[in-house]
Amino acid sequence: MDYQFDYLVIGSGIAGLTFALKAAQNGSVAIVTKKSKVETSTNYAQGGIASVMSVDDSFQLHIQDTLNAGDGLCHPDVVELVVKTGPDRIRELVDLGVPFNTGTSGSAPFDLGREGGHSRNRILHAQDMTGQAVERVLISTAEANPAIQIFEDHLVMDLLIQHQSIKAGSVSLYQQDICRGAYVLDTITREVHTFTAHVVLLCTGGAGKVYLYTSNPDVATGDGLAIAYRAGAKLANLEFVQFHPTCLYHPHAKNFLISEAVRGEGGRLIDRRGRAFMQDYHPLKDLAYRDVVARAIDTEMKKTGDDCVFLDISHRDPEFLVGRFPNIYQKCLSLGIDITKDPIPVVPAAHYMCGGILTDLSGQSSLENLFALGECACTGLHGANRLASNSLLEAMVFAHNAATACAERIEGWRRRDLPEIPKRLSSSGRVDDPQSSEMVLITHNWDIIRRLMWNYVGIVRTDKRLALAKNHIAQIRMEIREHMPNIPLHGDLVELQNLALVAELIIRCAIQRKESRGLHFNLDHPHKDDVNWLKDTIVARNPGEDAVSTVPIKQVDTV
Ligand code: SIN
């Protein structure tokens, strides 16, 4: 099928939905999402949304906390923009009906939690299921909007790029690539569809599945990063992978986070013998910045040889704990851990990608008519380490700015025709039964990449491990290139290609940065180097570089 919309939004988390609801006021919107519409990282966000909402807080304090966490690499103009416009976006969520917990103190209308690196209580939350509460409200509002159509089980394979020659009379001035839509695999019918649109928004979330252990849901395979890179957009700061200090450590717990809000309510990290250790690492102790806490736990585990450390909140009133953390309480109890009595076994796990597709203040990428919002974007807010609970805020602020920028340009875009898609591309291809192929080639390589990244490109890095990882990943990508064309097109194959490319890009960025800053810690360069490295690490596809793609032809020449 060929679909045509004004706006094509890829991803159905807070960024994509917020943009879609605003853009639907002036155009038709398609939201394509690769699994069910609520299967997004937003839906699993526990802690909440940071914003200045009480009289004893100030924009200046939130700005300073964000800059401190970012370790020198935040863009101050972006930090100021996000912090200062954040409360307006929060009020929009409240107006839509998001049930944030309300306050009892009188100094703030909401109950505000605390997380690592924040100098004030400023985390709005809906118990410990904030993301789910936000996702539900946004999805039901979008579903009720006739201008929005949601396509579930639709996986974007690549962008549709128009290669255009800009001329003055008959003289060709320069070449410009413009994003015009995307090729999308319906993973149920296995048909490939073409979606054309005036503007495409990548809101595909993170890439936690690049690592063996992650707090992210299975959908977080870095699709947006890989798609944008293949299309020629610039990416930045991919070496800054945030490891959340406290994921539940249990053989039957998959990707389950123990929110930083637990430490905000007094939880303490202890070792197997019950000794609290964070005072050995930072004056802020258990509420130090996330990179500091994750590295401290890694060090403790390596020192003691233990498989995990423990988070103890059992000194708090049981009734309070059950009311404040019902999700965490129930999940732990189902595995035999009563958090009102027992310390919780925890380990760090890949949680958030601070780098991503480079954007300006409106979310516009370096590629014309391609925007990136949410975790897949690198806006300059997070720098070398994201401050806790700043991510949902960033997604909303940039979705709003992108919608405003698009609203100003949509009439102009409409006057320009969407490109004719050559017949060979517009006819939808149906792909074969994947079960007939050697799926083991996909699962094996998937597993190898994740182990390789965990062991060689994890919390603590060295030059040698990074060099080895680079060689291994090159080998894996070559194997994918050589053998995968014989395997029928399948969603897992598309994701594997994306995962391998994103792994390579993380390694490339990590090798470039010859210092330790924020989330990037390299034992061979253990200090910060402000003289040479107070800058973003930018990567883009070289003109001659082979862009592994699941779509045979992806450029439309309309010179
Ligand atoms: C958490 O609840 O600890 C996660 C919050 C975040 O990642 O910002």
Side-chain angles (χ1 to χ4, degrees):
M1 287 269 285
D2 292 345
Y3 294 98
Q4 233 181 54
F5 288 86
D6 288 317
Y7 300 101
L8 173 59
V9 176
I10 303 170
S12 56
I14 188 170
L17 292 169
T18 304
F19 175 86
L21 289 172
K22 289 170 185 271
Q25 292 167 17
N26 57 48
S28 58
V29 185
I31 300 178
V32 303
T33 188
K34 66 178 177 178
K35 290 271 164 42
S36 94
K37 53 189 177 267
V38 293
E39 195 51 22
T40 65
S41 291
T42 300
N43 202 36
Y44 293 89
Q46 294 182 0
I49 310 181
S51 197
V52 176
M53 303 298 283
S54 80
V55 290
D56 61 358
D57 197 2
S58 72
F59 289 145
Q60 205 40 51
L61 285 172
H62 190 184
I63 288 170
Q64 199 51 52
D65 292 345
T66 303
L67 294 173
N68 289 348
D71 212 3
L73 282 199
C74 300
H75 296 198
D77 55 336
V78 177
V79 176
E80 189 173 334
L81 168 86
V82 172
V83 167
K84 289 190 171 170
T85 59
D88 292 341
R89 306 287 78 82
I90 297 285
R91 276 186 278 276
E92 286 169 0
L93 282 186
V94 173
D95 290 346
L96 285 175
V98 174
F100 291 117
N101 285 36
T102 47
T104 47
S105 74
S107 69
F110 298 101
D111 179 51
L112 300 173
R114 175 82 69 107
E115 290 178 8
H118 288 275
S119 57
R120 292 286 185 278
N121 283 29
R122 62 168 74 97
I123 319 292
L124 289 108
H125 62 97
Q127 291 169 306
D128 58 352
M129 294 170 283
T130 313
Q132 194 186 88
V134 171
E135 182 80 16
R136 274 190 191 156
V137 166
L138 291 177
I139 283 282
S140 62
T141 315
E143 281 179 328
N145 191 319
I148 299 175
Q149 202 175 328
I150 303 179
F151 296 80
E152 295 184 290
D153 301 305
H154 278 59
L155 171 64
V156 172
M157 300 189 304
D158 263 315
L159 297 172
L160 176 58
I161 303 298
Q162 186 178 19
H163 192 55
Q164 191 167 277
S165 180
I166 306 298
K167 294 179 178 172
S170 59
V171 182
S172 180
L173 296 179
Y174 58 93
Q175 302 284 324
Q176 189 183 38
D177 284 351
I178 305 181
C179 184
R180 297 295 202 185
Y183 297 102
V184 181
L185 174 68
D186 179 332
T187 56
I188 305 293
T189 66
R190 297 196 301 282
E191 280 175 295
V192 180
H193 303 303
T194 306
F195 284 69
T196 44
H198 297 297
V199 60
V200 177
L201 294 296
L202 288 172
C203 314
T204 51
K209 294 299 281 189
V210 148
Y211 285 91
L212 188 57
Y213 302 110
T214 176
S215 64
N216 292 181
D218 288 347
V219 290
T221 52
D223 302 335
L225 305 179
I227 289 166
Y229 180 83
R230 285 196 294 264
K234 287 182 186 164
L235 276 64
N237 293 356
L238 297 173
E239 68 274 39
F240 297 117
V241 178
Q242 186 170 70
F243 291 83
H244 196 291
T246 59
C247 283
L248 183 57
Y249 178 73
H250 190 281
H252 300 136
K254 193 183 166 214
N255 311 346
F256 191 79
L257 192 70
I258 305 295
S259 174
E260 206 158 295
V262 173
R263 275 176 285 138
E265 297 292 357
R268 282 181 332 149
L269 286 160
I270 56 174
D271 65 16
R272 193 170 287 283
R273 285 148 289 279
R275 194 184 77 88
F277 55 82
M278 273 315 296
Q279 73 270 11
D280 301 346
Y281 294 90
H282 199 277
L284 291 172
K285 299 183 195 163
D286 296 279
L287 286 175
Y289 305 105
R290 220 169 252 184
D291 57 325
V292 174
V293 183
R295 266 198 306 278
I297 295 175
D298 188 67
T299 306
E300 287 294 313
M301 285 166 57
K302 287 197 171 113
K303 217 160 64 183
T304 60
D306 290 340
D307 292 335
C308 65
V309 296
F310 295 85
L311 180 56
D312 188 16
I313 183 101
S314 58
H315 55 282
R316 294 292 311 255
D317 172 40
E319 206 180 316
F320 165 76
L321 289 178
V322 177
R324 175 69 177 85
F325 301 111
N327 182 33
I328 294 173
Y329 173 74
Q330 282 304 335
K331 176 71 183 187
C332 289
L333 201 60
S334 75
L335 297 169
I337 304 157
D338 180 348
I339 70 166
T340 66
K341 298 194 185 88
D342 310 319
I344 311 164
V346 291
V347 284
H351 180 61
Y352 190 88
M353 176 57 83
C354 292
I357 303 156
L358 198 62
T359 75
D360 67 11
L361 293 179
S362 66
Q364 164 79 55
S365 77
S366 61
L367 197 66
E368 202 53 27
N369 291 22
L370 178 69
F371 285 66
L373 306 173
E375 189 174 345
C376 71
C378 181
T379 64
L381 176 69
H382 307 312
N385 178 35
R386 177 180 64 96
L387 183 67
S389 286
N390 263 357
S391 49
L392 299 182
L393 186 72
E394 179 198 41
M396 288 191 298
V397 167
F398 275 83
H400 173 84
N401 290 3
T404 308
C406 289
E408 284 163 9
R409 291 162 69 188
I410 188 75
E411 281 314 319
W413 287 331
R414 282 203 184 105
R415 283 195 291 276
R416 203 173 53 182
D417 287 338
L418 282 168
E420 279 286 309
I421 307 299
K423 198 75 203 124
R424 62 192 168 172
L425 293 181
S426 63
S427 55
S428 305
R430 194 183 156 82
V431 292
D432 299 336
D433 179 1
Q435 299 314 326
S436 64
S437 70
E438 290 204 73
M439 288 295 282
V440 67
L441 293 184
I442 297 177
T443 51
H444 174 77
N445 278 310
W446 183 289
D447 187 53
I448 291 195
I449 293 170
R450 298 184 66 202
R451 274 179 203 284
L452 176 70
M453 293 299 285
W454 185 259
N455 290 326
Y456 287 7
V457 197
I459 298 172
V460 175
R461 300 160 181 177
T462 64
D463 281 351
K464 184 170 188 162
R465 285 185 223 151
L466 291 176
L468 288 171
K470 181 176 169 224
N471 291 344
H472 281 297
I473 210 77
Q475 187 64 36
I476 293 166
R477 289 198 69 211
M478 194 194 307
E479 189 172 319
I480 294 172
R481 246 189 318 264
E482 283 180 1
H483 298 287
M484 301 298 162
N486 305 324
I487 297 177
L489 191 51
H490 182 269
D492 288 356
L493 173 56
V494 177
E495 289 184 336
L496 173 66
Q497 288 183 322
N498 291 342
L499 211 63
L501 174 53
V502 172
E504 187 195 283
L505 296 176
I506 294 172
I507 296 165
R508 215 201 277 179
C509 287
I511 287 176
Q512 274 185 53
R513 186 171 287 280
K514 300 268 188 267
E515 65 157 356
S516 288
R517 178 187 299 277
L519 297 157
H520 174 67
F521 189 78
N522 184 333
L523 284 173
D524 293 312
H525 313 276
H527 304 295
K528 238 186 329 205
D529 174 0
D530 280 348
V531 175
N532 296 304
W533 281 105
L534 207 52
K535 60 184 180 193
D536 296 326
T537 319
I538 296 177
V539 284
R541 183 164 64 82
N542 298 319
E545 193 181 333
D546 180 17
V548 176
S549 168
T550 45
V551 178
I553 308 156
K554 68 187 192 66
Q555 291 213 334
V556 186
D557 292 319
T558 59
V559 179

